[in-house]
């Protein structure tokens, strides 16, 4: 029984690989489609709690700004990744001036905190970089990848428990993995992948790619010794700003005149 379980674990890990948009091999114990289904459940639960606490921003100026910038990015995301056309693209703007964070789950469900907009005094170009980066995590199936990591850890715990005749606590499946995906950091490789893809989306949408570097300069200055919450789920290597700066000329060539994209209908959750 022990050997059978261990062999099953090994076979699952070996067979569950796929390829990201940049050609990188990814561990996928959960399909992108399943990740979308479970992410929706986790997102709706999170939004419902925020609504009860009156934490969803409905200020017209903020809503229109986020909706317009995100809509242009989504236009480019859908053009580059046609499978995302039927995603339920939406953004929850969370009223929390102390939290510097933003995220996007599988299926295009996003959130951004007022703290990251205010404390970093984001320009439109910098806000586009934030949202482009988060959208890139979704289109590159990073949510499914993080959920798969959570399940792989759980499988390892189960296998270890069986091998030692100990009872092992297990995850309750994809639903809990989806919740954990909001808390688990992306790998450094996934972060760099989202940096590149996000810059591409933002540039094609008509925003200055140089804002990616200025964004991270600002990020480095806030949050004190512990750093902002954004960095807890977005680990930044020390040369990140330098790497982003090097990519600017390549990105500028994608849209030399900075022509703005059409605005895709993105729902603002209120």
């Amino acid at each position: 029984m022990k050997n059978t379980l261990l062999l099953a674990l090994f076979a699952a890990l070996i067979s569950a690989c796929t390829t990201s948009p940049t050609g990188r091999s990814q561990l996928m114990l959960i399909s992108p489609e399943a990740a979308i289904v479970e992410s929706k459940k986790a997102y709706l639960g999170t939004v419902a709690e925020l609504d009860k606490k009156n934490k969803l921003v409905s200020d017209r100026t903020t809503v229109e700004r986020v909706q317009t910038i995100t809509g242009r990015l989504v236009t480019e995301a859908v053009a580059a990744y046609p499978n995302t056309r039927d995603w339920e693209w939406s953004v929850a703007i969370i009223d929390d001036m102390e939290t510097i964070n933003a995220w996007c789950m599988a299926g295009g469900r996003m959130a951004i905190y007022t703290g990251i907009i205010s404390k970093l005094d984001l320009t439109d170009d910098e806000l586009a970089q934030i949202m482009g980066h988060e959208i890139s995590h979704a289109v590159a199936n990073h949510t499914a990848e993080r959920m798969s990591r959570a399940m792989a850890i759980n499988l390892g715990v189960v296998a270890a428990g069986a091998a030692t005749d100990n009872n092992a606590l297990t995850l309750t499946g994809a639903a809990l993995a989806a919740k954990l995906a909001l808390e688990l950091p992306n790998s450094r490789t996934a972060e760099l992948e989202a940096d590149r893809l996000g810059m591409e989306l933002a540039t094609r949408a008509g925003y200055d790619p140089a804002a990616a570097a200025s964004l991270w300069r600002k990020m480095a200055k806030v949050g004190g010794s512990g750093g902002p919450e954004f960095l807890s789920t977005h680990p930044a290597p020390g040369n990140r700003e330098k790497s982003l700066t090097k990519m600017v000329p390549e990105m500028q060539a994608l849209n030399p005149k900075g022509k703005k994209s059409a605005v895709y209908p993105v729902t603002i959750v209120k």
Side-chain angles (χ1 to χ4, degrees):
M1 178 62 182
K2 298 172 187 176
N3 290 337
T4 300
L5 184 55
L6 290 171
L7 286 173
L9 169 61
F10 180 75
L13 294 177
I14 291 297
S15 63
C17 289
T18 186
T19 303
S20 78
T22 62
R24 176 176 64 87
S25 179
Q26 294 174 294
L27 172 68
M28 287 293 176
L29 294 175
I30 293 179
S31 71
E33 293 75 21
I36 289 173
V37 171
E38 297 302 333
S39 292
K40 180 177 182 178
K41 295 175 185 176
Y43 186 78
L44 293 178
T46 298
V47 167
E49 286 299 314
L50 291 167
D51 189 33
K52 287 180 182 178
K53 298 175 182 177
N54 294 317
K55 287 292 186 179
L56 295 176
V57 173
S58 58
D59 171 69
R60 182 176 177 179
T61 300
T62 303
V63 165
E64 289 183 354
R65 184 186 185 202
V66 172
Q67 193 169 40
T68 298
I69 293 171
T70 305
R72 286 175 176 149
L73 293 165
V74 172
T75 292
E76 296 303 321
V78 169
Y81 310 96
N83 62 299
T84 68
R85 183 176 300 278
D86 295 328
W87 284 9
E88 296 176 4
W89 292 100
S90 57
V91 185
I93 307 172
I94 302 172
D95 183 13
D96 185 341
M97 295 297 287
E98 299 305 314
T99 299
I100 299 176
N101 204 8
W103 42 265
C104 182
M105 300 183 76
R109 297 174 185 84
M110 295 169 265
I112 185 166
Y113 293 74
T114 53
I116 198 170
I117 298 173
S118 178
K119 287 184 177 293
L120 271 62
D121 191 22
L122 294 179
T123 65
D124 284 358
D125 294 303
E126 290 166 343
L127 180 54
Q129 294 294 333
I130 289 280
M131 301 308 285
H133 180 95
E134 297 309 321
I135 289 169
S136 294
H137 279 308
V139 300
N141 295 322
H142 291 166
T143 302
E145 192 172 11
R146 292 202 309 278
M147 289 172 67
S148 296
R149 283 168 54 201
M151 295 193 78
I153 292 169
N154 182 60
L155 285 171
V157 170
V158 173
T164 59
D165 290 326
N166 289 328
N167 291 325
L169 294 176
T170 66
L171 292 176
T172 58
L176 183 54
K179 183 179 184 299
L180 290 174
L182 282 176
E183 303 167 2
L184 283 174
N186 288 291
S187 67
R188 178 169 295 187
T189 301
E191 280 300 309
L192 295 177
E193 191 169 63
D195 278 349
R196 169 170 286 278
L197 295 176
M199 283 184 76
E200 288 181 9
L201 290 178
T203 303
R204 291 184 186 280
Y207 295 99
D208 184 3
S214 66
L215 167 67
W216 284 99
R217 279 197 297 273
K218 289 182 177 181
M219 196 74 72
K221 294 178 181 179
V222 300
S225 59
E229 183 176 345
F230 191 78
L231 296 182
S232 69
T233 51
H234 299 71
N239 65 348
R240 192 168 200 165
E241 180 188 336
K242 187 181 296 185
S243 297
L244 292 168
T245 300
K246 287 181 179 179
M247 287 192 281
V248 170
E250 175 189 349
M251 296 297 166
Q252 286 176 326
L254 299 175
N255 189 359
K257 296 183 179 180
K259 181 181 178 180
K260 292 290 193 295
S261 299
V263 179
Y264 195 89
V266 173
T267 300
I268 300 295
V269 183
K270 301 178 185 178

